[in-house]
Amino acid sequence: MTGYHTRWVRPETEADDPERLAIREALAFGKALYDRRTALGPSVTDLAGRAGMTADEIECIEEVGTEPTVALLRRLAAVLDADVRLTAGHDLGSVWFETRAA
């Protein structure tokens, strides 16, 4: 049996769907925030307090994904003492926080 569902291939029309791209960007942002926060050690509550946000807002970004805005990226980069790096891709590695150069 060789049907569409047995091959697990996404149709090209879905690959560039703006809604799917936004979801992937939100997940990449959440992963980047989680990775940087856990590398530095602060709790969700500590990071939220420093960023002027609630712990629920930070958890929502890390777990569910929130579409990143420039203002939000800047705010979080400042409290994480990092620079934000972006690539043209939309995969999980397309957004990350990098330690600022001295």
Side-chain angles (χ1 to χ4, degrees):
M1 178 184 255
T2 59
Y4 167 73
H5 295 290
T6 60
R7 289 184 276 143
W8 291 94
V9 175
R10 274 192 283 175
E12 287 299 317
T13 56
E14 290 183 16
D16 293 328
D17 177 23
E19 191 172 324
R20 289 180 183 270
L21 294 177
I23 290 168
R24 288 200 301 253
E25 287 172 348
L27 291 173
F29 174 41
K31 181 182 181 316
L33 178 59
Y34 174 82
D35 290 347
R36 179 67 179 177
R37 181 182 62 77
T38 56
L40 293 176
S43 68
V44 170
T45 306
D46 291 340
L47 179 62
R50 288 189 226 163
M53 300 171 72
T54 66
D56 287 342
E57 289 172 320
I58 297 295
E59 286 176 349
C60 185
I61 293 169
E62 289 184 356
E63 296 172 9
V64 180
T66 299
E67 195 165 345
T69 63
V70 172
L72 185 55
L73 289 168
R74 283 186 176 147
R75 176 193 296 185
L76 291 170
V79 298
L80 293 169
D81 194 31
D83 292 324
V84 177
R85 301 292 184 213
L86 305 168
T87 64
H90 300 283
D91 60 347
L92 286 179
S94 64
V95 178
W96 69 97
F97 293 95
E98 186 174 271
T99 304
R100 287 192 180 130

